[in-house]
Amino acid sequence: MFNRTRCLQITAALASISLLAGCGLLSDDSGGDQKRIVVGTTSAPSTLDPAAAWDGSWELYRNVYQTLLAFPTGSTKPQPDAAQGCEFTDTANESYRCTLRKGLKFSNGEPLDSKAVKHSLDRIRTIGHKLGPKDLFGTLDKIETPDPLTVVFHLKTPDATFPYVLGSPAASLVAPKDYPADKVREDDKVTGSGPYVLDSYKDAGEAVLSRNGSYAGFANRRNDAVTIRYFKDSAKMIASLKSKEIDATYRGLSAAEVRDLQAPDAHSQGVQVVENVGAEIRYLVFNPKDQQVNKLAVRQAIAQVIDRGALVSKVYQGTAEPLYSMVPKGVVGHKTPFFDKYGHADVAKAKKILKDAGITQPVDLTFWYTTDRYGASTADEFTEIKRQLDESNLFRITLRGQPWKTFQEGYKGGEYPIFGRGWFPDFPDPDNFIAPFVGKENAVGTPYEPAQIINELLPKSRREGDRSAGIREFEQAQQIFAEDVRLLPLWQGKLYVAARDDIAGAERALDPQTAMQMWELYRKTSW
């Protein structure tokens, strides 16, 4: 089954998040500003153990853990990090070999060798945490360690996207002595080999980071220390930015807050906003376990009623645009199958869809969303969706919100009939917007097994080292999504980093996975 995700090639637009110039192959410990950078976000980690998270926790992981490969700012293909080099050793893309850099160590002094790599990745599959990234490694068969610096990955089937998985925080490397092979580490500590060490952590409070003196990898650190503060309320986060309590913000800004920060008076208060092209998407998930949602006509009628233009205009006001495919605009292979099939919102057409299926009474449905993950606009978004569906007189909608940790457990447990999710690319490839959502087990917790996608389209596309050669397969997969309406794309957002005027590097701080690379931030006064 293809529960793994992420692709290989992103478009020039997404790659233009910043230029690669100035990004060192090895860390530079001679520079950096001694004064701590403080960054605010509404996206707190759900856990500190990489084996148990496939979510925004990766933001922290990218800064404290190392991976064999990584995506330096501006890159569209994975580059060496803990590895000195990696390559497929066969023409079938079924055997992948990595050679590690010499002398690597974890923050506890333990050597980062081939056995540590094997331990790190094997435990993800052994633990099999339902909220973890195990499905990303669905094509991995076994790992061999012929010598301390060599790791060989044997794959079950050809998979040209496997290097991209190794470049994602899903493949974070951990110290074997501190991370059990068969269970999740449960304290509030991290033992990694990344650009920073975690000095202290307060759940949903803050993470205090300092420069890792033994780090050797691609990151050129422009500062010596970072504190990440986690806010439940974006309004408080913005107030802290304006009052100089924090230096920068990322994730969770509402459209109104972005406009406020872009206003001339905000600039006069010493605040800047950096806008980046992004592949962040929002979508609805339909759970077939529900008696009503299981009916194709109900799902198609919802797709026919929802007016994405009105939703984006009223709630996001220029910070997002309507999305008609799970593969967003700017990513290779993007098409608009939901617009092609359903066109503009049309209540009369939706009514006919339901009537033809023998449904003549309003359908009662409950929509669920998370209250503290994607920003303050999420509640407004679902209120607008409810308004549109209720006013059609074809549906009666009830809304329910839950904090992220509870929400995550709920949707993974199959408890919600319809729920909203956000998706940030694990790596820049259209595969990442198709594969994670199919299979008996997948990223959204609702089994979806379209045979053509699983058995034909994904395997064929993964045999192509040249990712653009698989465009036709991804176009077909998008069309199948539109026919089945098990997922309903809503909008695609832009990415914003707000910072004090004395902070530089914000335009380079987002990698292709939209994770904040804290090492790119620095104070202009340090020049």
Side-chain angles (χ1 to χ4, degrees):
M1 76 184 63
F2 292 87
N3 306 322
R4 226 275 338 292
T5 83
R6 286 44 173 190
C7 292
L8 309 156
Q9 191 178 35
I10 203 160
T11 63
L14 183 57
S16 69
I17 285 176
S18 64
L19 300 176
L20 186 57
C23 184
L25 190 62
L26 292 176
S27 62
D28 177 10
D29 289 316
S30 62
D33 183 357
Q34 298 297 324
K35 193 172 182 181
R36 181 175 295 274
I37 304 288
V38 183
V39 178
T41 178
T42 60
S43 183
S46 55
T47 174
L48 299 184
D49 190 330
W54 190 2
D55 59 21
S57 304
W58 285 13
E59 188 114 63
L60 178 61
Y61 298 172
R62 176 54 79 199
N63 292 278
V64 296
Y65 293 110
Q66 202 169 11
T67 46
L68 289 172
L69 302 170
F71 292 89
T73 302
S75 64
T76 60
K77 295 183 178 180
Q79 306 296 321
D81 188 7
Q84 179 177 312
C86 297
E87 63 179 353
F88 278 106
T89 58
D90 64 337
T91 57
N93 292 334
E94 291 183 329
S95 181
Y96 195 68
R97 179 187 297 267
C98 289
T99 302
L100 296 173
R101 299 184 191 276
K102 294 181 180 179
L104 294 178
K105 293 183 180 297
F106 291 104
S107 57
N108 65 353
E110 197 174 349
L112 198 174
D113 56 15
S114 60
K115 290 184 178 180
V117 173
K118 177 177 170 60
H119 173 87
S120 299
L121 302 187
D122 278 348
R123 68 187 295 269
I124 294 172
R125 299 186 297 162
T126 299
I127 294 171
H129 197 284
K130 67 179 181 179
L131 301 178
K134 65 181 186 304
D135 296 332
L136 278 170
F137 298 93
T139 60
L140 177 60
D141 182 20
K142 62 180 179 179
I143 303 173
E144 293 182 340
T145 56
D147 62 60
L149 295 180
T150 304
V151 186
V152 181
F153 301 93
H154 296 283
L155 307 181
K156 300 173 186 176
T157 59
D159 186 3
T161 71
F162 187 71
Y164 293 76
V165 176
L166 294 182
S168 77
S172 295
L173 303 176
V174 300
K177 290 182 180 179
D178 291 341
Y179 292 81
D182 57 355
K183 63 180 181 179
V184 172
R185 182 176 181 177
E186 297 181 349
D187 60 15
D188 289 334
K189 299 184 183 300
V190 162
T191 313
S193 59
Y196 299 95
V197 294
L198 180 68
D199 294 327
S200 65
Y201 178 77
K202 181 180 178 182
D203 188 25
E206 67 176 17
V208 179
L209 314 181
S210 62
R211 175 184 286 246
N212 180 0
S214 62
Y215 169 71
F218 77 93
N220 178 22
R221 292 164 294 183
R222 307 298 299 274
N223 61 67
D224 285 337
V226 175
T227 293
I228 307 172
R229 290 185 182 166
Y230 302 108
F231 292 81
K232 292 184 178 179
D233 187 297
S234 60
K236 292 181 179 179
M237 182 171 68
I238 297 304
S240 296
L241 178 67
K242 290 183 175 181
S243 64
K244 301 182 181 181
E245 295 176 42
I246 62 176
D247 299 304
T249 69
Y250 178 52
R251 293 215 195 282
L253 300 181
S254 69
E257 288 164 345
V258 171
R259 291 200 316 276
D260 176 62
L261 292 172
Q262 290 174 327
D265 61 335
H267 186 68
S268 67
Q269 297 176 46
V271 177
Q272 58 174 316
V273 177
V274 176
E275 177 181 310
N276 291 300
V277 176
E280 170 191 359
I281 68 173
R282 292 289 191 277
Y283 57 97
L284 296 177
V285 182
F286 296 93
N287 186 350
K289 291 182 180 180
D290 182 83
Q291 184 177 0
Q292 296 284 22
V293 175
N294 189 43
K295 300 172 183 175
L296 177 60
V298 170
R299 304 196 302 269
Q300 290 180 331
I302 292 172
Q304 189 65 73
V305 169
I306 288 181
D307 186 338
R308 294 170 177 79
L311 175 66
V312 168
S313 175
K314 291 182 179 181
V315 179
Y316 293 101
Q317 304 171 34
T319 62
E321 59 182 307
L323 181 63
Y324 297 94
S325 170
M326 290 299 288
V327 178
K329 182 180 179 181
V331 173
V332 172
H334 165 75
K335 305 296 285 186
T336 58
F338 279 86
F339 185 82
D340 299 340
K341 182 172 179 60
Y342 303 101
H344 296 289
D346 192 317
V347 173
K349 288 182 179 179
K351 184 175 182 178
K352 184 177 187 304
I353 290 172
L354 292 173
K355 184 178 179 181
D356 289 348
I359 302 172
T360 58
Q361 297 296 319
V363 181
D364 292 302
L365 295 168
T366 300
F367 283 58
W368 292 78
Y369 64 94
T370 178
T371 57
D372 60 354
R373 192 64 176 181
Y374 304 127
S377 297
T378 304
D380 295 335
E381 174 181 337
F382 276 80
T383 298
E384 171 61 17
I385 290 173
K386 170 180 167 60
R387 183 196 68 78
Q388 293 182 14
L389 294 173
D390 283 349
E391 288 186 1
S392 73
N393 293 318
L394 302 175
F395 301 94
R396 286 192 293 256
I397 305 301
T398 299
L399 299 181
R400 293 284 185 268
Q402 290 279 11
W404 174 249
K405 287 188 177 181
T406 305
F407 177 79
Q408 227 184 356
E409 292 287 344
Y411 79 72
K412 277 290 189 179
E415 298 175 16
Y416 307 149
I418 303 174
F419 57 95
R421 282 294 315 273
W423 189 256
F424 306 91
D426 298 329
F427 53 80
D429 187 289
D431 183 287
N432 190 208
F433 295 92
I434 301 294
F437 306 111
V438 299
K440 186 176 181 179
E441 296 179 358
N442 56 47
V444 294
T446 56
Y448 176 37
E449 301 178 81
Q452 186 179 4
I453 294 178
I454 293 173
N455 299 327
E456 177 188 339
L457 300 179
L458 285 176
K460 185 175 181 180
S461 71
R462 287 176 175 174
R463 287 194 288 268
E464 299 290 349
D466 176 3
R467 300 305 295 155
S468 62
I471 296 302
R472 180 173 297 179
E473 285 70 39
F474 291 119
E475 291 176 349
Q476 289 179 263
Q478 291 172 76
Q479 187 61 44
I480 292 171
F481 277 4
E483 295 290 340
D484 293 347
V485 200
R486 287 289 307 279
L487 305 151
L488 183 63
L490 296 172
W491 56 266
Q492 174 178 354
K494 299 175 183 177
L495 298 173
Y496 296 91
V497 176
R500 302 295 309 176
D501 276 346
D502 66 332
I503 298 297
E507 73 285 353
R508 292 179 51 84
L510 304 183
D511 71 3
Q513 298 151 324
T514 71
M516 175 75 89
Q517 300 179 140
M518 300 298 175
W519 58 83
E520 293 286 1
L521 301 176
Y522 61 97
R523 297 186 187 280
K524 296 178 182 177
T525 53
S526 66
W527 288 352

